[in-house]
């Protein structure tokens, strides 16, 4: 299928993503000058963002991956949080930056934050490519945000999926109605 015809509207273009990612990396390089970082990429959605971001990080760093699933909803805030793939390194006393594709209700992130607090990290920050602040049900905020989306739109591409598809698109867009 032609990649350019999948989305009816492009929300963040490939060129915009490139600029955003470089800016975020520069900010992190400045904020953590002289420090070491463990980046924890949350699979599957953040694989592309992580890869692009890491190319511009000039600090000493480790890169690790986690995969989690959540079954939370607005009426069940203590819902299940399952770690499907755990960390490979000990993060005790480390500066950790969690890398996410999108911060929506914040439920996944709230659980991740609790998880890292138990691990007694030195510091914890959150980087997300997309932030949807209007959708938040949990008190969670990201320290590094690529793009803030205030519209009520479901987006795909650049790691984000619809039923596991379209993660490979190099841009972020709204799926055409005919593809739902
Ligand atoms: P949260 O726990 O509600 O913050 O959920 C975050 C997760 O919901 C993300 O990691 C995505 O998998 C998914 N998600 C939320 N909004 C979108 C979207 O617009 N497109 C694709 N996935 C989304
Ligand atoms: Mg996800």
């Amino acid at each position: 299928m032609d990649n350019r015809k999948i989305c009816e509207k492009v929300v963040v273009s490939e060129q915009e993503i490139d600029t955003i990612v470089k800016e975020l990396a520069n900010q992190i390089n400045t904020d953590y000058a002289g420090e070491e970082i463990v980046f924890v990429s949350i699979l599957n959605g953040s694989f592309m963002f992580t890869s692009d971001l890491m190319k511009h990080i000039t600090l000493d760093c480790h890169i690790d991956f986690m995969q989690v699933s959540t079954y939370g909803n607005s009426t069940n805030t203590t819902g299940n949080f399952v770690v499907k793939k755990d960390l490979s390194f000990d993060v005790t006393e480390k500066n950790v930056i969690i890398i996410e594709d999108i911060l929506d209700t914040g439920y996944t992130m709230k659980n991740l934050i609790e998880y890292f607090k138990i691990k007694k990290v030195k510091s914890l920050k959150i980087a997300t490519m997309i932030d949807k602040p209007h959708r938040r049900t949990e008190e969670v905020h990201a320290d590094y945000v690529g793009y803030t989306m205030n519209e009520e739109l479901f987006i795909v591409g650049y790691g984000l999926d619809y039923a596991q598809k379209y993660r490979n698109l190099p841009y972020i867009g709204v799926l055409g109605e005919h593809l739902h």
Side-chain angles (χ1 to χ4, degrees):
M1 182 174 279
D2 186 341
N3 265 356
R4 289 158 301 181
K5 290 184 185 146
I6 292 172
C7 286
E8 62 188 26
K9 183 183 163 204
V10 173
V11 177
V12 195
S13 72
E14 208 174 339
Q15 290 78 4
E16 285 167 328
I17 289 172
D18 193 48
T19 307
I20 287 169
V21 167
K22 280 178 189 153
E23 276 173 12
L24 287 182
N26 286 340
Q27 246 179 286
I28 294 170
N29 288 334
T30 305
D31 292 353
Y32 287 84
E35 301 265 352
E36 288 179 15
I37 307 184
V38 179
F39 288 99
V40 179
S41 172
I42 309 302
L43 297 171
N44 295 335
S46 66
F47 78 98
M48 212 180 269
F49 176 41
T50 302
S51 164
D52 285 347
L53 189 69
M54 290 307 103
K55 291 176 201 166
H56 304 287
I57 294 292
T58 52
L59 304 159
D60 277 347
C61 63
H62 287 180
I63 304 164
D64 206 348
F65 298 88
M66 280 182 80
Q67 191 175 30
V68 301
S69 61
T70 50
Y71 306 100
N73 58 51
S74 53
T75 53
N76 176 19
T77 49
T78 57
N80 285 314
F81 173 75
V82 179
V83 175
K84 292 161 84 179
K85 189 230 168 285
D86 208 344
L87 295 168
S88 313
F89 313 126
D90 180 12
V91 290
T92 312
E93 284 304 310
K94 303 285 186 195
N95 295 310
V96 173
I97 300 183
I98 301 174
I99 308 179
E100 255 290 30
D101 50 356
I102 186 163
L103 201 51
D104 191 39
T105 64
Y107 187 79
T108 308
M109 194 52 76
K110 188 187 94 169
N111 282 281
L112 281 167
I113 292 168
E114 278 168 20
Y115 177 89
F116 280 97
K117 277 193 179 148
I118 294 165
K119 298 272 178 195
K120 303 210 181 312
V121 293
K122 181 178 174 188
S123 70
L124 182 65
K125 282 194 184 180
I126 294 152
T128 188
M129 181 60 207
I130 302 281
D131 190 10
K132 283 181 168 178
H134 68 285
R135 294 262 309 158
R136 205 80 90 249
T137 59
E138 310 302 321
E139 253 187 65
V140 171
H141 84 278
D143 303 278
Y144 303 101
V145 175
Y147 183 87
T148 303
M149 220 182 85
N150 294 309
E151 294 156 283
E152 195 61 56
L153 292 171
F154 190 84
I155 49 178
V156 295
Y158 200 61
L160 290 163
D161 72 305
Y162 171 73
Q164 298 303 327
K165 286 173 75 179
Y166 314 116
R167 292 193 197 273
N168 54 310
L169 299 180
Y171 57 86
I172 296 167
V174 180
L175 203 58
E177 281 293 334
H178 63 294
L179 294 168
H180 278 235

